[in-house]
Amino acid sequence: RDEHERFDRKIEAMGVRIKDADAVKVRDDVFDEVTLLALYKLVHKKLITVIGGPISTGKEANVFYGERDGRGLAIKIYRIQTANFKAMTEYLAGDRRFSSVRGTRKGLIFAWTKKEFSNLARAHDAGIPAPEPLAFDRNILLMEFLGRDEVPYPQIRNAEVEDYGKVYREILGYVERLYREARLVHADLSEYNILYHEKPYLIDMGQAVTLDHPRASVFLVRDIKNLNRYFSRYCDVVDEEEIIGTLVGT
Ligand code: ADP
Ligand code: MN
């Protein structure tokens, strides 16, 4: 209660409009002091003009709807007190871009947020349908909202897909472009991290690693296996070894 009121007062003091006052009253562990400060900076820079309700509560992050001058935003907030931060270390340590990150909890979460920003930027630059990253501060990532009327596009597991074979090949194409052009492996590819509306979109790239990561090829195999496991229920899939062979062998 008190925590909620304190949060609302602080947000209001930032001069940002709260669209859905009840929905935005979230768990105390999301809006700690660090997060409020980061949010404040993003609001102050006018990168966020409206904060809406929660879209998702995941293992490590909460996603909120937001707007900047009428344009939809996804505001992804990594919780500092996340349960999973040990697992994050492995993805960071092997990636040369982030191997020097200090081992404090906060430091890791901030690096993770920056890593997701960079990964989305690389994917986006490679022309892969994925949210355009807009800004980050500490543990908050701002990105393009993929959805309509404040409702996110469904995860592919909940979407109505007409031609699974076509969508499967599109996603394989994304994985290939991610590998060849962005030089990344997604490393958590599944029916949960693909949104679908007319075409598939890849999301959730915090854990994606560069190809020089010692486990990049392990992650790649796991991604392809996941993809094939899911799509084999609906359409013919390409043999896993064949996919890897074409990717890695060229
Ligand atoms: P987590 O690490 O919690 O799995 P995700 O990045 O997968 O976080 O996001 C969780 C959910 O939030 C997604 O399934 C989707 O519903 C929503 N979401 C995330 N990013 C966006 C976005 N850019 N646009 C719309 N919805 C999003
Ligand atoms: Mn996810």
Side-chain angles (χ1 to χ4, degrees), residues 1 35 41 51 56 88 91 110 124 129 138 147 149-151 160 172 174 187 190-191 218 235:
R1 272 290 99 207
T35 306
K41 290 187 79 174
I51 298 179
S56 154
M88 290 174 158
Y91 290 83
F110 295 172
H124 199 262
R138 285 159 237 224
D149 299 333
E150 306 182 25
V151 181
E160 260 187 59
L172 271 190
Y174 298 173
S190 76
E191 62 274 24
V218 176
C235 62

Side-chain angles (χ1 to χ4, degrees), residues 55-59 63 76 116 146 152-159 171 186 188-196 201-205 207 223 226-227 229-231 233:
I55 296 173
S56 154
T57 305
K59 276 209 297 281
V63 180
K76 185 169 184 178
E116 176 154 32
L146 299 177
Y153 296 147
Q155 295 171 353
I156 195 161
R157 70 197 178 96
N158 296 322
I171 296 168
H186 184 288
D188 194 17
L189 194 66
S190 76
E191 62 274 24
Y192 290 82
N193 288 329
I194 300 168
L195 303 188
Y196 184 82
Y201 295 83
L202 300 188
I203 62 161
D204 202 358
M205 297 213 186
Q207 70 297 315
D223 280 354
N226 261 336
L227 200 63
R229 173 195 44 77
Y230 183 72
F231 276 91
R233 290 194 240 153

